[in-house]
Amino acid sequence: MSTYLSEGKSGTHNSPVSRTSVASNVTTEKVLSAIRFPGVPQNSCSTFTEGNLAGTAAHEPGWIALEQPGAWGRDIFDGVAFDSTVAQALEKKLADEGGYRLLLIRKPGRLGQVVQDGVRRVFLARRIHGQDQLFTFCVKGPADLLELSLNDPSQIPFAERLPGTVLTLVCAHAKRDQCCALRGRPIARFLDQMRPGGTVWECSHLSGHRLAPTAMLLPSGYTYGRISAESMLAATSCLEETGVPLVDNLRGRSSLPAAHQVAEVAVRELLLTEQIEPGIEELTFEDAPQKYSDSAISSVHVKWGSARGAETRAWDVVVKLGKTAAVPASCGKEGKPAKSYDVVEIRPL
C-alpha cells in the first residue's frame, strides 16, 4: 500500500504563502460549475452567524476514521451503520485505548452511498512523541478494530504511516443535521475532484452544526467552519505544501483545549500582520499561572520559536468565555445561547 501524496514541507515563512495552489490541472471554476450547490432553507441553524469560530473545535486526543459506505444513524454507535453490539464494544475500546474519537467516513458522491462487501479503509491520527502522525490500514469490518492494539499504531502489523499526507474530512452527516449534508456534500465532491488520490472523504458529525459547512484536516486536527469550496481547498493546500495552517475560518486545533485554540488563532493573526506564518510545531502553549476574579476569564502563554532558531517571542493571551444571542444548535431545535470566546488582550512577555 503506497502513500497518497508526496511528503510535505514545513517551516516559518517570512512572507504570505500562496493561497491559490491546487492539486489538479483542472480549473476551480470549471469544477465548481459542474457541481450543484442546493439552497439551504431559511432559518436553518447554519444561517445564523452569531459567535466567533475560534475555540469551537472538538478537543480530542486522537481520531480513528473508519470507512463505512451507505447510511449512518443519528449516532454512529446506535446500530444503524453497523451491529449495535460491535458498536458498544468499539465505543468502550476507543475510550480505553488512547481516548480516540471515532468518525465514519465514505467516499464523496454516489460512490460513498453504495455498500459493498470487501475491505474498509481506516485512518488513525494522534500526537505521538510530540508529533502529529497519520496511519492507514484496512479491515474487513468494524469488528476487526476490536482485535487491534490501538495504543501504539506503529505496532499494528499492516499499518502504514503517511508522512506529509493531509487528509480532508468534510462533515456530511445528514441524520445529525440537514445543513451538514446540504452544504458539506457538494464541497466534498469539489475537493475530491481537485485533489484526486483518496485524501478527501465525507465524515460523520464533527460538532458545531450551526457552523456548517465544517471540515477537519488530519493528522493535525485543524478544524474549520463556515467554509466555502474555495476556502477549504486553500486551507488544505496551504497546510500540505507549507506546513502552515490557514487562519481564515479556523475553529481551532483538536489536540488543544478551547482557550488554547483561541490563543493560537489570535497569535497567528497577529504574526500575519508582520508577514510571519509559523509552522505547526513552532507555537507552544501553556496555561498562565495568574487567576482572575471573573471565572470566565483565563489566560494562555504562547511561545513562538522560529524553526531557524533566529527568533523567540512570547505572549500572554487573555481569553473570555461569553455567550451569543439565542441560536439553534441544530436545525429544528429551540434557540439557546451558545459559547463564544473573545480575546481580551494580547500582552508581549
Side-chain angles (χ1 to χ4, degrees):
M1 196 181 299
S2 60
T3 56
Y4 291 130
L5 300 174
S6 60
E7 186 162 345
K9 302 175 182 178
S10 63
T12 301
H13 295 261
N14 294 319
S15 59
V17 298
S18 170
R19 306 303 190 198
T20 58
S21 57
V22 297
S24 177
N25 59 2
V26 294
T27 65
T28 300
E29 292 78 10
K30 182 178 180 181
V31 175
L32 283 174
S33 65
I35 295 176
R36 177 177 172 267
F37 288 79
V40 177
Q42 207 170 23
N43 294 326
S44 295
C45 66
S46 66
T47 60
F48 296 86
T49 58
E50 287 81 355
N52 297 321
L53 286 171
T56 64
H59 181 206
E60 304 289 349
W63 299 85
I64 290 181
L66 168 67
E67 183 180 5
Q68 188 68 28
W72 306 327
R74 186 181 185 282
D75 187 319
I76 61 175
F77 294 107
D78 62 9
V80 173
F82 50 90
D83 181 80
S84 58
T85 302
V86 173
Q88 292 173 11
L90 184 56
E91 185 175 22
K92 183 178 186 304
K93 179 181 177 66
L94 295 179
D96 293 342
E97 295 192 16
Y100 290 100
R101 175 170 164 181
L102 179 69
L103 291 173
L104 299 185
I105 59 173
R106 61 192 172 205
K107 295 174 182 177
R110 293 181 180 178
L111 194 58
Q113 300 298 320
V114 179
V115 179
Q116 299 176 339
D117 293 332
V119 297
R120 301 280 191 262
R121 198 66 180 266
V122 179
F123 296 94
L124 185 153
R126 72 175 300 117
R127 197 164 180 80
I128 302 173
H129 304 306
Q131 184 181 28
D132 295 323
Q133 296 187 16
L134 180 66
F135 294 81
T136 188
F137 52 91
C138 292
V139 296
K140 292 183 179 179
D144 288 356
L145 290 174
L146 298 173
E147 307 302 320
L148 301 177
S149 176
L150 303 175
N151 287 314
D152 186 357
S154 65
Q155 298 303 308
I156 298 175
F158 40 89
E160 177 189 8
R161 190 181 168 197
L162 303 178
T165 297
V166 174
L167 200 69
T168 308
L169 307 181
V170 181
C171 183
H173 199 160
K175 288 290 186 179
R176 290 298 294 261
D177 192 87
Q178 66 175 354
C179 288
C180 298
L182 291 175
R183 293 188 160 181
R185 284 179 179 167
I187 292 176
R189 288 196 295 273
F190 165 77
L191 293 172
D192 185 51
Q193 292 185 50
M194 297 299 291
R195 297 177 53 80
T199 61
V200 177
W201 299 78
E202 294 182 358
C203 74
S204 57
H205 180 52
L206 287 175
S207 78
H209 304 140
R210 67 185 181 86
L211 307 176
T214 64
M216 181 171 63
L217 303 178
L218 291 180
S220 65
Y222 279 113
T223 305
Y224 291 82
R226 297 172 183 154
I227 62 172
S228 66
E230 298 93 329
S231 73
M232 204 58 220
L233 177 61
T236 303
S237 300
C238 181
L239 189 62
E240 180 184 76
E241 295 173 11
T242 70
V244 173
L246 199 64
V247 295
D248 300 338
N249 305 100
L250 181 58
R251 297 174 60 187
R253 189 177 185 181
S254 65
S255 59
L256 299 174
H260 292 206
Q261 294 176 17
V262 176
E264 176 174 14
V265 174
V267 168
R268 288 191 177 279
E269 290 178 338
L270 175 66
L271 289 174
L272 194 58
T273 64
E274 304 175 36
Q275 297 190 333
I276 297 172
E277 297 186 281
I280 293 178
E281 304 299 341
E282 293 179 36
L283 294 180
T284 56
F285 310 86
E286 62 178 12
D287 291 325
Q290 60 262 43
K291 301 295 182 181
Y292 296 88
S293 57
D294 186 345
S295 61
I297 299 177
S298 60
S299 62
V300 180
H301 285 175
V302 182
K303 182 178 180 181
W304 169 51
S306 168
R308 298 169 185 165
E311 188 173 4
T312 299
R313 292 161 65 181
W315 302 264
D316 180 33
V317 182
V318 182
V319 176
K320 184 173 184 179
L321 172 61
K323 296 285 187 180
T324 69
V327 292
S330 188
C331 290
K333 289 192 174 181
E334 181 182 352
K336 295 180 179 179
K339 291 181 179 180
S340 182
Y341 291 88
D342 289 296
V343 175
V344 177
E345 186 179 8
I346 303 179
R347 294 193 295 255
L349 294 175

